[in-house]
Amino acid sequence: MSIDTHTTGHPRPTGTGRAATITLVVVLIAELMNALDGSIVHTALPSIQADTDATSAAVQWIPAAYTLTFALALITGGRLGDLFGRKRVFIAGTAVFTLASLLCGIATSPELLVAARAVQGAGAAAMVPQVMAVIAVTFQGESQAKAFGMYGMIMSLGGVLGPVLGAVLTAADIAGLGWRAVFLINLPIGLATVLFALRFIPESRDQQARCLDPLGMLLCAAGMLLIAYPLTVGGEEHWPAWSFGMLAAGVIVLAVFVAQQRAKTAKDGSALVALSLFTSKVFAGGLAAQLVFGLVSGVFLLTWVLFMQFGLGLTPGQFAPASVAISIGGMAGAMLASKWAGRHLRRVPQAGAVLIAVTLVGYQLMVSAEQTETPFAAAVAPMILLGVGFGMVGAGLAGLTLSQVGHEDAGSAAGLFNTAMQLGTALGIAMASVVFFSHAPAGSHGTTVTHAFAGSVWYVIAALTAMWALMFRLPKPVKAAV
């Protein structure tokens, strides 16, 4: 196994050998826990509500508390890894995530469960950026592309397994635990992950980093909260005036944050965000493409579910095969990215964007023609192709965006990259209120919904075109010498 002492002065694997393979498996298991926890709880919500007498608002906050806290703390979590060591922060984040899972599993009231979910999200925010950072500093070249391809597969696998596993564990009522098992299952997995991480993950950090940036952390979290909160709940409240006020305040706070980061960098070089990252057109372009990718995912997946449920009149159980199809396609697309990205570089995610766009054009024309008479098979089959495209973009984009980031800033870069996806998804869900709900108000059914969905698809295709163009800033294939 080759070694490199660039970051810490201690040997670390460079993508080959048994130790590197085990390192990859350990961090991917942690990512799988996070991917599962984003969706596993949804199928258990009815049982949670019945068992705890939770109000509708409390039920909505059980998944939202995790997602919101996760999004708010990702940038800080990534930078903590650069400062104090990615292995150390990964283990701490995984331990907090696992302990919070225990608290979720023994919660006796909705309030305690929501609070425990918030702590769980904070643990994930420390854990997840280290996954990408460890991959970025451990692997190079084609081995790095393959590792990020597997990362994409794990995310897609979590999307497939989450709802199914949640339903199975709740229905099985293991040892009388009922819905609590969806959280307690993390205990043995989390404990094993911590133990293997202690043994096999090499330590790496930014040797030039000096100290924490508390003011930067506060400004970043406040700005993200002021933007993420109204995007998360504003649509349900029909976009009251306060939601726009919070969004405007969030933009102002983030502008202050950027100014503070510049001043902090000039003063002692210990800013929360390594602003030097944005001097790289590869990273800046990849981050922008990731933001748009999140927006595309948020708009399409929300409006598509509404189309299937209220346009075609299918129950969640009836259109579940379509959800499985897009997730399986995502795994296949990530495998293709793992195989091809190292040689074809930006062509892989660009090809994925084109595949999604072409498939959606055909899907839009079909829905416009068939409306509520769209055959079930015709509504489901294209989801496989869409999944392949999403997998190619997601896995390919991650590896290429981080490929030229210095090892000392890998955590910060990973935190920003994950935040872009979370913020983009929130923006996409919010955008659905403009491109969908303005044409199909709540309670609409039938052709009203199918027409609104068909119209929203064109916005998704336009965003895909913008994303495809942004990817020209990513590394291009180098022609082999003749």
Side-chain angles (χ1 to χ4, degrees):
M1 177 181 68
S2 59
I3 60 175
D4 180 16
T5 60
H6 175 83
T7 311
T8 65
H10 299 289
R12 64 175 180 80
T14 58
T16 58
R18 175 175 172 269
T21 300
I22 297 176
T23 295
L24 180 62
V25 170
V26 171
V27 296
L28 289 183
I29 289 175
E31 175 56 38
L32 179 60
M33 285 198 299
N34 170 63
L36 286 172
D37 255 65
S39 58
I40 194 173
V41 71
H42 291 288
T43 48
L45 287 177
S47 297
I48 294 174
Q49 185 172 23
D51 189 40
T52 63
D53 294 324
T55 63
S56 297
V59 168
Q60 292 173 359
W61 273 105
I62 291 170
Y66 180 89
T67 304
L68 192 59
T69 310
F70 179 61
L72 293 181
L74 275 168
I75 293 175
T76 296
R79 192 56 178 163
L80 288 175
D82 293 337
L83 288 169
F84 300 110
R86 289 145 198 149
K87 173 179 179 177
R88 182 180 300 175
V89 176
F90 174 82
I91 291 172
T94 305
V96 170
F97 179 92
T98 305
L99 177 60
S101 297
L102 172 62
L103 297 177
C104 289
I106 62 176
T108 56
S109 70
E111 293 78 15
L112 290 175
L113 180 55
V114 170
R117 285 285 282 172
V119 175
Q120 198 180 32
M127 174 180 72
V128 170
Q130 315 319 319
V131 174
M132 299 186 74
V134 167
I135 292 175
V137 302
T138 304
F139 299 88
Q140 293 82 42
E142 289 195 25
S143 63
Q144 187 184 85
K146 291 179 180 179
F148 275 115
M150 295 185 69
Y151 174 86
M153 287 176 57
I154 288 296
M155 293 184 67
S156 297
L157 181 62
V160 175
L161 289 181
V164 176
L165 187 60
V168 169
L169 289 174
T170 303
D173 194 24
I174 301 171
L177 292 172
W179 59 267
R180 299 177 187 277
V182 305
F183 300 111
L184 297 178
I185 192 176
N186 289 330
L187 298 185
I189 301 174
L191 179 60
T193 300
V194 168
L195 293 176
F196 277 95
L198 285 168
R199 172 67 179 84
F200 290 103
I201 293 183
E203 187 59 281
S204 63
R205 63 169 60 86
D206 178 5
Q207 292 289 70
Q208 303 303 316
R210 299 183 180 181
C211 58
L212 279 173
D213 177 14
L215 179 57
M217 293 168 62
L218 177 63
L219 288 172
C220 179
M224 290 294 297
L225 177 62
L226 288 168
I227 290 177
Y229 182 82
L231 289 177
T232 301
V233 303
E236 298 173 0
E237 302 292 334
H238 305 291
W239 297 107
W242 63 259
S243 64
F244 293 101
M246 286 188 72
L247 288 170
V251 172
I252 294 171
V253 171
L254 288 182
V256 173
F257 168 66
V258 172
Q260 183 266 343
Q261 291 294 284
R262 287 176 175 169
K264 186 70 171 173
T265 300
K267 180 181 179 181
D268 58 18
S270 60
L272 175 65
V273 174
L275 295 179
S276 59
L277 289 169
F278 294 94
T279 62
S280 166
K281 71 173 186 178
V282 171
F283 181 78
L287 197 68
Q290 177 76 342
L291 181 70
V292 179
F293 183 47
L295 187 149
V296 166
S297 302
V299 172
F300 175 73
L301 293 176
L302 174 60
T303 57
W304 173 73
V305 167
L306 295 172
F307 159 69
M308 296 290 279
Q309 188 167 355
F310 299 112
L312 301 187
L314 302 174
T315 66
Q318 288 173 324
F319 67 77
S323 300
V324 173
I326 197 170
S327 296
I328 291 175
M331 294 175 64
M335 290 178 65
L336 293 176
S338 174
K339 182 178 180 180
W340 293 340
R343 286 170 290 171
H344 300 286
L345 298 177
R346 72 185 184 203
R347 290 176 181 170
V348 173
Q350 283 187 314
V354 170
L355 177 60
I356 298 170
V358 170
T359 304
L360 285 180
V361 168
Y363 203 74
Q364 197 278 342
L365 295 175
M366 176 191 68
V367 171
S368 296
E370 299 292 340
Q371 295 290 327
T372 57
E373 302 301 318
T374 302
F376 177 76
V380 171
M383 293 301 108
I384 296 177
L385 287 178
L386 287 175
V388 171
F390 277 114
M392 291 174 68
V393 172
L397 196 56
L400 292 175
T401 303
L402 300 181
S403 62
Q404 296 182 14
V405 171
H407 292 170
E408 67 276 7
D409 294 323
S412 182
L416 287 165
F417 188 80
N418 279 286
T419 299
M421 184 66 178
Q422 294 294 319
L423 186 58
T425 302
L427 285 169
I429 293 173
M431 185 178 173
S433 66
V434 177
V435 303
F436 182 87
F437 291 112
S438 60
H439 301 287
S444 300
H445 290 79
T447 55
T448 301
V449 172
T450 58
H451 178 73
F453 170 71
S456 70
V457 170
W458 291 121
Y459 290 91
V460 175
I461 293 170
L464 284 165
T465 304
M467 182 177 70
W468 175 82
L470 286 167
M471 290 178 190
F472 276 104
R473 301 179 71 87
L474 298 175
K476 62 181 179 180
V478 179
K479 293 182 179 179
V482 180

